[in-house]
Amino acid sequence: AWPHWKDIKHEQVSAKDLKTAHENGLGLMMASLVNNQWLAGAMLAAGLNQPGIPANDMDSVKLQLHSLWAMHENTDWYRIVRDPWEARRVSAEGKLPVVLAIEADHLFPQGDGPWKEQLHDFYAMGVRSIQLAHQVNTHFSGAAFHRDIFKPFGRIKALFKPEIDFDPGDGFNNPVGLSPLGYELLEEMIRLNMLIDISHLSIAAQRDIYAYVKDKHQGYPLYNSHTRYGPLLTAEGAQELKEF
């Protein structure tokens, strides 16, 4: 049955079920614009893709943005919000506040122009939360190894993009933390009052971000939208999932 908690295609929900959840108490939603360029490319090569659906991470994110804004325009209860005051007003009206977030492996690629211009473009489109990495390292941050299957993709990416670090470490934790560009992105996100999601980041990157905001920005808030809590994992689960 769909949707199912074990579905590997990430969290999914029908509009009808989401409305029911809101009516039963769901007070706010983080809508994560997610794509995996490697897996989407494999589907494209196998001829199993849907026409008009891009494999490229950021093009996919833009398509998803367009779709969610269409839902915003075509419903009277699903409302994309861009600041806390707007979220409170929407909630007070009995509607569902939705915050747009980006979760992608190839975040703000250099081929799409300066990263800061890309950030501002997505900010103008309503995005208010960003993860600096997903399944593989970006030129901003190291990613949690998560599962061994993603490690070869990280190595391949680093071969073609020397500006992106790759270090296999001890086979468990990724030693790559925040890059100099990552600190710049972090600073700009803070200037824009954006939400900093540390999900999928390496432990090293999480510690870098925590130390930076504690020292430079009086403990600017961080949040973790969807990462497994280590002490609750079984020994078997911890071995399989690596960093979590």
Side-chain angles (χ1 to χ4, degrees):
W2 179 91
H4 191 274
W5 69 274
K6 290 183 70 176
D7 194 312
I8 65 170
K9 297 185 289 295
H10 222 275
E11 183 181 7
Q12 302 175 73
V13 63
S14 69
K16 178 182 177 182
D17 289 340
L18 179 59
K19 190 172 189 295
T20 299
H22 169 55
E23 291 169 348
N24 283 279
L26 178 64
L28 181 140
M29 179 182 181
M30 301 296 300
S32 197
L33 308 161
V34 63
N35 190 63
N36 188 296
Q37 194 164 303
W38 303 99
L39 299 180
M43 297 294 285
L44 186 66
L48 300 174
N49 63 301
Q50 290 181 264
I53 305 298
N56 176 280
D57 275 348
M58 300 315 290
D59 287 340
S60 175
V61 165
K62 291 173 185 175
L63 179 62
Q64 293 174 62
L65 270 170
H66 175 78
S67 298
L68 294 189
W69 274 109
M71 186 167 175
H72 170 96
E73 295 297 333
N74 295 324
T75 64
D76 61 359
W77 59 273
Y78 181 99
R79 313 311 295 161
I80 294 172
V81 297
R82 289 153 293 193
D83 60 53
W85 302 274
E86 191 173 20
R88 292 188 182 104
R89 286 195 300 271
V90 165
S91 181
E93 293 168 359
K95 301 173 183 179
L96 177 65
V98 179
V99 180
L100 299 177
I102 294 178
E103 178 180 2
D105 292 323
H106 302 275
L107 179 67
F108 305 149
Q110 293 180 341
D112 287 357
W115 66 264
K116 189 176 288 188
E117 291 182 10
Q118 295 182 64
L119 172 66
H120 290 175
D121 286 344
F122 279 103
Y123 184 88
M125 288 184 268
V127 170
R128 292 297 183 269
S129 176
I130 292 175
Q131 294 170 35
L132 276 64
H134 187 212
Q135 301 289 3
V136 295
N137 296 350
T138 65
H139 46 295
F140 300 108
S141 175
F145 282 152
H146 187 47
R147 290 179 186 269
D148 286 336
I149 189 175
F150 291 106
K151 196 180 293 187
F153 293 123
R155 188 183 295 276
I156 293 169
K157 184 178 181 181
L159 286 174
F160 287 94
K161 297 182 179 294
E163 71 277 7
I164 295 177
D165 288 337
F166 177 80
D167 186 334
D170 59 6
F172 196 81
N173 291 331
N174 182 359
V176 177
L178 220 57
S179 71
L181 270 184
Y183 284 104
E184 292 182 31
L185 174 56
L186 196 65
E187 189 67 33
E188 186 64 8
M189 288 176 65
I190 292 171
R191 190 186 72 81
L192 293 171
N193 290 320
M194 296 184 73
L195 299 172
I196 300 169
D197 187 353
I198 61 173
S199 301
H200 284 291
L201 301 187
S202 65
I203 296 297
Q206 292 184 33
R207 289 172 174 163
D208 286 345
I209 292 173
Y210 175 79
Y212 182 79
V213 299
K214 182 181 179 183
D215 181 51
K216 301 291 185 181
H217 291 281
Q218 294 77 49
Y220 189 91
L222 310 173
Y223 83 106
N224 192 324
S225 64
H226 63 286
T227 298
R228 297 163 186 85
Y229 184 54
L232 296 182
L233 290 175
T234 64
E236 181 183 4
Q239 183 61 34
E240 178 186 5
L241 295 171
K242 307 298 182 186
E243 285 186 280
F244 25 74

